[in-house]
Amino acid sequence: MNFKSLKLVQCLLILLLFSFFSCKEKRVKKYIKPNILFVLVDDLGYHDLGVTGSHFYETPNIDQLAKESTMFTRGYAASRVCSPSRASIFTGKFTARHGITDWIGAKTGKNWRSRKRFDKLLPADYVMALPKEDITMAEAFKNSGYKTFFAGKWHLGDKGSYPENHGFDINKGGFHRGGPAGGFFSPWKNPKLKSKHKGENLSIRLAEETAQFINQQKDSSFFAFLSFYAVHAPIQTSEKKWNKYRNKADSLGIAKTGYKMERVLPIRQVQDNPIYAGLVETMDDAVGIVLNALKENGLDKNTIVIFTSDNGGVASGDNYSTSNLPLRGGKGYQWEGGIREPFFIKIPWLNSKIKTSDFPVIHTDFYPTLLDFANIPLKPKQHIDGISLKPILEGKQIETNRPLYWHYPHYGNQGGSPSSIIQQNGWKLIHYWEDNHQELYKLPSEEQDDQNVVNQYPYKAKELKLKLLSWLEEVNAKYPKKDLEYDTSKASKRLFQMANQKMKSLEKNRLDVLSRDFKPNENWWKSKLTVD
């Protein structure tokens, strides 16, 4: 071999070695600094997905994501309503600690009487915006070099407390409103997201904005938070999807009745609303768009995906959209149907090492878990009420008997009562503020919350009550106050109306929506509008 040939071989070897170590370095980097995609659905119930037991709603994209994830079967929202849960996700704190205990905009104190509810208590005051002193999860990632993106529902304060004020570089559609102003089809009324064309679907648009952001971040680490306005009221869908699910309900057999009376409001017992089903499926279509964007850009192996909801499905109040059975209650309620959620975590390089886990987890755990997987130093003074789930996801055990706490000193629009909850070591105690009585459930038999064992285990109830009340005092929780103008006769009259007139109205509406000649309006909530 002559000198030139030897020199050429040496050069080739150097290039090969450089290429090898360069590729190896890139492979290491993607595990050191993974991308994050957080998908939060509004008002989605635990049983509103095919993978969690629905035989009516169709959610193939989310079902597939669940199969690629670890599914926590005892995953909980931090609250039974939206704003408190969202604040807990971003701060890593339980609601009584950060102070946002009701959806922002709900009336408190004497103003509650304007709702004509005639309740025994006046709801407590609460914090009206995400506290600026908190380091949000978005800020933690941004400070670590991540590009941060938010799309969809915010509902954590007005101007000055928008996503861009709490760590997000880009905000598409997040402002103070909790529902889709103007509806799910354009033209809508969102100052942070202008319509592109008439008839455009909001869920699809939010997904497209998220996918576009992903397309632009191929070579840098990102934290993307897709926060759907769906499946919040007003429930709307296209004629095509309505027709699909109307026919499906017919083929499955339409139940004669769809409601029963809960304590103060009727509650839905069946999943057969074709409008809601279409809204759920469109949200699933949107999730598919974003997951496809990850795959098309070769980022699916290096992106952690979170999927959850902010509270239980709406079974009472609002639009009486879904049933959460066998869980009792739904959004706004203190029982499992109000706080149990789909809770999926996909760590792609673990290949779903643990398929399912019944370890009790809650929204506050996302913050430390994601920091842990991204190799960002934990912030225990910030996410004080969360723990990293990394050991569980890697197949290890966590030695902890931590208590989980919920505090809701308000009345839910959906029929829930002012109450606080502690769950620990297989027990759950609910403390009611109207009369200070308790309900005690032994997990997991409490799914329908109809096996109150407080009389069988008085010492356990006392132990948990003292622990709960002590913790609430420790975090300076606020409490409801007695309404000195409470009128028993007015309350009884309202209850009678709900059990009779309202029940009849709901049953009629349910059958009307399932009738073949149903038509909400000429353009189907604007879904049939076309470009001029």
Side-chain angles (χ1 to χ4, degrees), residues 431-461:
H431 179 82
Y432 290 87
W433 295 106
E434 283 188 339
D435 56 10
N436 292 312
H437 83 278
Q438 285 87 38
E439 293 173 358
L440 180 68
Y441 300 100
K442 196 171 184 179
L443 307 177
S445 63
E446 90 313 336
E447 283 208 339
Q448 295 190 45
D449 290 302
D450 59 358
Q451 298 181 43
N452 180 10
V453 296
V454 70
N455 293 326
Q456 291 96 305
Y457 300 93
Y459 293 107
K460 175 56 69 173

Side-chain angles (χ1 to χ4, degrees), residues 75-199:
Y76 289 96
S79 176
R80 64 185 84 169
V81 294
C82 57
S83 297
S85 284
R86 292 162 185 272
S88 290
I89 288 172
F90 284 120
T91 65
K93 296 178 179 179
F94 288 145
T95 60
R97 196 186 297 275
H98 59 61
I100 303 177
T101 52
D102 205 356
W103 60 273
I104 294 175
K107 296 183 182 298
T108 64
K110 294 179 181 179
N111 291 329
W112 179 249
R113 295 183 188 134
S114 66
R115 298 297 307 272
K116 304 299 181 184
R117 284 279 302 267
F118 312 112
D119 294 309
K120 294 180 180 179
L121 302 176
L122 296 174
D125 291 334
Y126 59 90
V127 175
M128 302 287 283
L130 197 61
K132 291 184 178 180
E133 59 269 23
D134 280 296
I135 301 171
T136 68
M137 180 162 52
E139 288 172 320
F141 276 96
K142 181 176 181 176
N143 293 340
S144 297
Y146 278 69
K147 187 73 173 179
T148 56
F149 171 89
F150 183 90
K153 174 174 173 174
W154 178 244
H155 205 188
L156 286 172
D158 211 327
K159 291 181 179 179
S161 187
Y162 281 170
E164 55 266 39
N165 305 119
H166 292 282
F168 287 102
D169 297 312
I170 301 170
N171 171 23
K172 297 290 184 178
F175 68 126
H176 72 279
R177 289 287 295 272
F184 281 101
F185 297 96
S186 67
W188 47 66
K189 301 174 182 177
N190 188 317
K192 294 291 185 176
L193 189 71
K194 301 300 181 184
S195 303
K196 285 185 176 179
H197 58 80
K198 292 181 179 179

